[in-house]
Amino acid sequence: MTENLLDGLVQDAEASFVLIARDGAQTVELLTGDILDVDLLADIPLSADGTPREVFAMVPYRQVRERGFDAVDDGTPLRCLIVDQHHHFDRGELLAALPTEPVPLRDGGFDISDEEYAEVVSRVISDEIGRGEGANFVIRRDYTAAVDVDERRAAITWFRALLEHERGAYWTFAVVTPGQIAVGASPEAHVVARDGIVTMNPISGTFRHPAGGATKETLVGFLSSAKETEELFMVVDEELKMMSAVCSDGGRITGPHLKQMSRLTHTEYMLRGRSRLDPRDILRETMFAPTVTGSPMQNACAVIRRHETSPRGYYSGVAALFTPNADGGHDVDAPILIRTVYLKGGKLRVPVGATLVRHSDPYGEVSETHGKAAGVLGAIGAIPRDTVAEAAADADQPDAAPVTLADDPEVAQLLASRNSRLAEFWINPQGDGATGPFTGRSALVIDAEDRFTTMLAHQLRHLGLDARIVPWSEVADADIDAAELLVAGPGPGDPRDTESARIARMRDVVARRLAEGTPLLAVCLSHQILADSLGIELAPLASPHQGLQKTVPVFGEDASIGFYNTFTARVSPAAERAGAAEVSADPATGDVYALRGEHFASVQGHLESILSRDGIRTLERLVEHALN
């Protein structure tokens, strides 16, 4: 029955179906139904005549324009399969029914050369991170090849190969629709909403297994890497911004854990919070994972458009299954679309990207894209697979499994030690802020295109403030004047840029509050703007402080704070005041960490970051000063 059903679906060029094998499940799901392409996430048809229905959706990267972010509109459809039948098959039974003949590829290679990609990486590090445009960016390139066999049969052949040879995938899947085929093994559940609980799973840091497989010794070196550790912390910060936007309790982190796959091992955290939003709204507010875009998200999209040579299609989007629940609504399970093969018009495409940070080595990132492409191509049998894994399979050892390296005490200790650097606020229960020190007072937070403001507003609410966020482009002068406490937020870019409408508006916001003498808190970019208005010099740092944790003086107390800045305000190292402001600065360099004066305070670091162990305490001190 299984074989006949699959054969019928494969042979019918107009039939659409989805195969899903979830991590740990002993069954494989088969979804069939009609296809409907829609324009917006809100258009995904979760009900018909008032009856909830199950829908599977492929969400392309271009949908990020729904958040007002920049993306090439390549026409890739937001494709929905309206499920009419949902079968569950025994995994072994389905494997036996799927074809095993290898699918040959020809004319394989990357669409841009290693040298070209290395040059792009160098430009992004110097021109984007070096100018303060963001903390990290993901730039992709595509492995392409020609496929001469029937595309639908190739899809189920590759799906079988992934089931048999890939380990650790959150979803292994094949999506077969007219004109669009995708087969993959995604390691990452981008967002899941089930029974009112939202979960996100940021994965970052890539350890490519050496020949013969991963060992404790080789993994320890990876876990000790500053670049890999900072990369993970930065994506956790970015996804906490999203969690703070959709969850009433802001989200808490657990981990870190290892995500061990056949050829690669990653580090990951789990984020959880509560939300009552429609799952389509949750999906919109969490477009898309910083692990495949960068941060801050809005600027990352602009950087991607400037530096990638072709549109992304579905790469870095999500596959989303909306399932009716007992409450009359829908749950959603949405893995990220990475480690995926796309097949269209006889051409295979495997998009892969590397996360670029201030420590990145261009040819190291070239190597990472090779490793990621090899992970997919090896799993589908397009290139030779790992000899150790093949030996176990050839010896008919179905229960053979790689050593679970996370169980090693030294590895476990290295993982656990990472949390000693993080803010307990985001790890421990937070409370609801009902008895915070500023209960009954309010704050207006101006977003200067860095959604760190969602985390900042959440912390302000925890302190008792009624906080709301307004984008810089929408805030009216009357709102600025009426705010009890105005928080001028962080953002990317050079604070000295006279051509930027955003920075000009933030200058207006800061100047207006200073002139009125009404409570103001300025953060990061806005701190620099405040410093400039007080006559303090602004200068680029010798090395960007993107995702850097420092212990710095803040008005009589040392505070462990996370920094995401490329520019700094700078005074004479011995200076204690600058005009009307008291200064806390580095005693060696004069870099200004905080300012305060009559009804205003500012801070260069991000007190809301997971890197700010003393963030909530310092935020309370600065707010108290500004309000009093």
Side-chain angles (χ1 to χ4, degrees):
M1 174 183 171
T2 304
E3 188 169 0
N4 291 339
L5 178 57
L6 282 171
D7 282 344
L9 291 170
V10 170
Q11 291 171 17
D12 182 354
E14 297 304 313
S16 297
F17 65 94
V18 178
L19 289 163
I20 302 171
R22 306 192 203 213
D23 187 22
Q26 296 305 307
T27 60
V28 176
E29 299 165 61
L30 171 64
L31 287 60
T32 61
D34 294 329
I35 289 296
L36 176 68
D37 293 343
V38 299
D39 293 329
L40 303 172
L41 289 169
D43 298 331
I44 295 174
L46 298 185
S47 64
D49 299 325
T51 301
R53 55 186 180 183
E54 189 171 35
V55 179
F56 174 88
M58 289 284 284
V59 183
Y61 173 73
R62 73 184 183 104
Q63 285 319 119
V64 80
R65 296 175 306 137
E66 289 195 43
R67 294 187 65 186
F69 299 169
D70 198 11
V72 174
D73 185 0
D74 59 354
T76 302
L78 171 47
R79 176 152 292 183
C80 301
L81 181 129
I82 315 302
V83 179
D84 59 19
Q85 293 188 61
H86 192 150
H87 303 276
H88 290 77
F89 297 114
D90 176 78
R91 188 186 185 101
E93 177 188 350
L94 186 73
L95 276 171
L98 293 170
T100 60
E101 300 83 4
V103 177
L105 307 181
R106 60 179 176 82
D107 303 329
F110 281 101
D111 58 342
I112 62 173
S113 70
D114 288 355
E115 291 72 22
E116 289 174 298
Y117 186 74
E119 289 175 4
V120 171
V121 171
S122 296
R123 287 199 302 272
V124 171
I125 294 169
S126 62
D127 297 348
E128 306 292 359
I129 297 175
R131 288 205 314 260
E133 296 300 321
N136 58 85
F137 301 110
V138 180
I139 303 298
R140 75 167 227 295
R141 60 176 179 159
D142 297 345
Y143 182 93
T144 63
V147 177
D148 294 326
V149 304
D150 177 79
E151 294 182 358
R152 298 166 75 89
R153 185 156 294 275
I156 62 172
T157 302
W158 290 336
F159 178 73
R160 185 191 193 283
L162 289 172
L163 278 183
E164 188 171 14
H165 296 287
E166 186 55 281
R167 301 185 185 94
Y170 177 71
W171 268 24
T172 302
F173 60 90
V175 181
V176 180
T177 67
Q180 297 281 352
I181 291 175
V183 185
S186 175
E188 187 169 348
H190 176 52
V191 63
V192 177
R194 187 175 291 127
D195 298 327
I197 302 296
V198 175
T199 304
M200 297 186 75
N201 177 209
I203 295 177
S204 192
T206 301
F207 171 56
R208 297 181 295 281
H209 297 173
T215 64
K216 182 184 82 170
E217 290 72 25
T218 55
L219 183 61
V220 163
F222 162 73
L223 292 176
S224 303
S225 164
K227 184 259 186 189
E228 300 292 353
T229 302
E230 290 178 5
E231 186 178 305
L232 178 61
F233 289 162
M234 284 190 278
V235 298
V236 172
D237 258 340
E238 194 68 19
E239 293 205 3
L240 272 173
K241 298 176 188 180
M242 299 176 182
M243 291 290 287
S244 295
V246 301
C247 296
S248 57
D249 56 354
R252 293 174 56 207
I253 69 174
T254 59
H257 312 287
L258 286 185
K259 171 70 73 171
Q260 191 171 339
M261 304 185 73
S262 298
R263 289 171 172 261
L264 305 168
T265 293
H266 305 283
T267 45
E268 64 178 0
Y269 276 91
M270 298 297 295
L271 317 181
R272 289 185 176 85
R274 296 185 176 276
S275 180
R276 296 182 179 179
L277 293 180
D278 182 294
R280 292 167 295 192
D281 294 332
I282 291 173
L283 206 55
R284 182 184 305 105
E285 289 299 318
T286 58
M287 291 193 297
F288 282 115
T291 50
V292 282
T293 52
S295 63
M297 181 71 193
Q298 185 164 352
N299 236 33
C301 292
V303 169
I304 287 167
R305 181 157 190 172
R306 284 197 289 270
H307 293 278
E308 290 191 350
T309 58
S310 61
R312 288 195 161 197
Y314 287 112
Y315 172 72
S316 73
V318 295
L321 181 60
F322 297 88
T323 304
N325 58 33
D327 297 327
H330 284 75
D331 297 332
V332 64
D333 190 357
I336 189 171
L337 287 169
I338 53 174
R339 311 295 161 78
T340 300
V341 177
Y342 299 95
L343 188 54
K344 183 176 183 179
K347 185 176 181 180
L348 167 145
R349 185 173 69 95
V350 180
V352 290
T355 300
L356 314 183
V357 297
R358 59 192 176 92
H359 292 305
S360 286
D361 168 66
Y363 281 95
E365 305 299 357
V366 167
S367 179
E368 181 163 325
T369 62
H370 277 279
K372 287 178 176 176
V376 178
L377 296 168
I380 67 173
I383 61 174
R385 298 187 179 99
D386 184 271
T387 55
V388 173
E390 282 300 299
D394 292 343
D396 192 24
Q397 299 176 22
D399 295 329
V403 175
T404 305
L405 295 170
D407 292 340
D408 181 271
E410 184 177 354
V411 170
Q413 177 59 35
L414 270 174
L415 283 169
S417 68
R418 291 184 171 190
N419 284 356
S420 66
R421 296 180 56 188
L422 304 184
E424 292 185 0
F425 180 85
W426 298 107
I427 297 174
N428 299 329
Q430 301 165 0
D432 58 10
T435 59
F438 307 116
T439 299
R441 310 194 75 170
S442 64
L444 179 69
V445 182
I446 310 300
D447 189 325
E449 297 185 7
D450 187 338
R451 295 297 297 277
F452 260 129
T453 49
T454 61
M455 295 169 68
L456 184 56
H458 176 69
Q459 288 196 326
L460 292 169
R461 294 181 192 115
H462 174 80
L463 294 173
L465 288 151
D466 179 9
R468 67 184 181 97
I469 302 170
V470 179
W472 69 270
S473 56
E474 297 177 15
V475 65
D477 288 348
D479 294 326
I480 296 169
D481 294 342
E484 184 173 6
L485 170 68
L486 188 132
V487 180
D494 185 338
R496 305 165 302 178
D497 186 354
T498 59
E499 302 298 320
S500 168
R502 174 174 53 85
I503 289 175
R505 182 54 171 157
M506 295 308 294
R507 286 183 174 277
D508 290 343
V509 168
V510 168
R512 195 175 185 94
R513 293 294 288 196
L514 283 179
E516 294 295 326
T518 46
L520 168 70
L521 174 65
V523 179
C524 198
L525 174 71
S526 295
H527 157 84
Q528 295 161 8
I529 288 171
L530 172 64
D532 183 63
S533 73
L534 295 171
I536 300 173
E537 173 196 5
L538 300 180
L541 292 163
S543 177
H545 290 172
Q546 297 291 348
L548 183 67
Q549 185 181 60
K550 298 178 67 174
T551 298
V552 301
V554 180
F555 305 119
E557 289 187 14
D558 285 343
S560 178
I561 295 173
F563 287 81
Y564 286 84
N565 62 303
T566 300
F567 297 88
T568 185
R570 187 170 287 154
V571 296
S572 168
E576 296 182 355
R577 298 195 65 84
E582 184 182 355
V583 175
S584 272
D586 190 295
T589 65
D591 290 351
V592 179
Y593 298 129
L595 296 165
R596 67 182 182 186
E598 188 174 0
H599 298 307
F600 71 82
S602 71
V603 63
Q604 176 61 77
H606 285 264
L607 305 180
E608 67 281 5
S609 166
I610 61 167
L611 292 171
S612 293
R613 288 185 297 168
D614 299 312
I616 193 70
R617 161 67 180 161
T618 307
L619 179 63
E620 181 178 348
R621 292 178 64 214
L622 295 180
V623 169
E624 182 177 24
H625 175 86
L627 286 173
N628 292 331

